[in-house]
Amino acid sequence: MTCVGEADMVFAGTYAMEPLLDRAKLESHLAGDKHLMLFDIAVPRNIHANCNDLGFVQAFNVDDLKAVVAANQATRRRLAEEAQGILEEECAAFDTWWHALDTVPTINSLRDKIETIRTQEMEKAMSRLGAEFADKKHQAIIDAMTRGIVNKILHDPMTQLRAPQNHDDRQQAMDILCTLFNLEQAQV
């Protein structure tokens, strides 16, 4: 009993046919301000049920532990189902991203063509504007403006091309872009 008085937790699992600990023994050996947790893993019980009557004692038996295990298993099962849902969502998002990769050559070809046009037109405009706009500050402003226009024009078509859709619809959209912009047909 001296060891029990010094412990914070006690695990009991003997072959004793009668409870080894009960309320009376604990009251006589423990101070009322000490908190004690008792775990009875024996059958028959080594810790009497009346130990729970003491305010500073929490006693658990095999049935209590089975209930905790069952609750934990239910929680783990629910969390596993949630994780499965998240995994399925991420797999679907990855699949969408993976299938959208076949649009990359068409998008790059379109961007390259538009960038070539933008660069040529900017060079023409700069040569027509004359020396007063030839400094780096004006060139940077005009360059940024034309890049912004190109990006805004290309944003929606590229977004639509990458959007989730079946392979045939995506291929048809890429073929249309290639035809409309006279792009070389990209091989996927």
Side-chain angles (χ1 to χ4, degrees), residues 10 21 30 44 65 75 88 98 102 112 131 136 139 165 174:
V10 174
L21 293 175
L30 293 177
L65 298 176
T75 300
E88 288 170 4
W98 180 258
D102 61 355
D112 290 346
K136 290 187 186 257
Q139 285 181 357
Q165 54 188 314
M174 288 188 297

Side-chain angles (χ1 to χ4, degrees), residues 59-102:
F60 302 96
N61 59 39
V62 172
D63 294 332
D64 297 329
L65 298 176
K66 284 180 186 175
V68 169
V69 168
N72 286 343
Q73 285 176 334
T75 300
R76 284 195 307 266
R77 194 173 306 111
R78 181 182 50 78
L79 291 173
E81 289 169 1
E82 288 177 20
Q84 181 67 34
I86 292 169
L87 182 61
E88 288 170 4
E89 288 173 15
E90 291 302 316
C91 284
F94 176 81
D95 192 51
T96 299
W97 171 80
W98 180 258
H99 289 297
L101 286 179
D102 61 355

Side-chain angles (χ1 to χ4, degrees), residues 99-117:
H99 289 297
L101 286 179
D102 61 355
T103 63
V104 170
T106 302
I107 289 171
N108 287 342
S109 182
L110 179 59
R111 270 208 169 274
D112 290 346
K113 178 147 190 174
I114 299 300
E115 179 60 21
T116 300
I117 293 169

Side-chain angles (χ1 to χ4, degrees), residues 1-13 19-27 29-30 34-42 45-65 68:
M1 270 318 281
T2 306
C3 293
V4 171
E6 295 172 3
D8 294 323
M9 284 191 237
V10 174
F11 288 84
L20 301 174
L21 293 175
D22 61 20
R23 179 182 176 157
K25 288 179 186 172
L26 289 177
E27 281 180 321
H29 285 85
L30 293 177
K34 177 151 178 73
H35 185 74
L36 179 64
M37 293 180 80
L38 303 172
F39 297 92
D40 188 353
I41 57 175
R45 303 260 191 293
N46 288 166
I47 299 173
H48 198 283
N50 68 7
C51 289
N52 272 324
D53 296 341
L54 297 170
F56 55 91
V57 174
Q58 284 182 289
F60 302 96
N61 59 39
V62 172
D63 294 332
D64 297 329
L65 298 176
V68 169

Side-chain angles (χ1 to χ4, degrees), residues 114-123 143 146-147 150:
I114 299 300
E115 179 60 21
T116 300
I117 293 169
R118 183 191 76 80
T119 303
Q120 290 169 350
E121 292 303 312
M122 192 163 146
E123 286 173 6
D143 184 64
T146 58
R147 282 183 194 279
V150 165

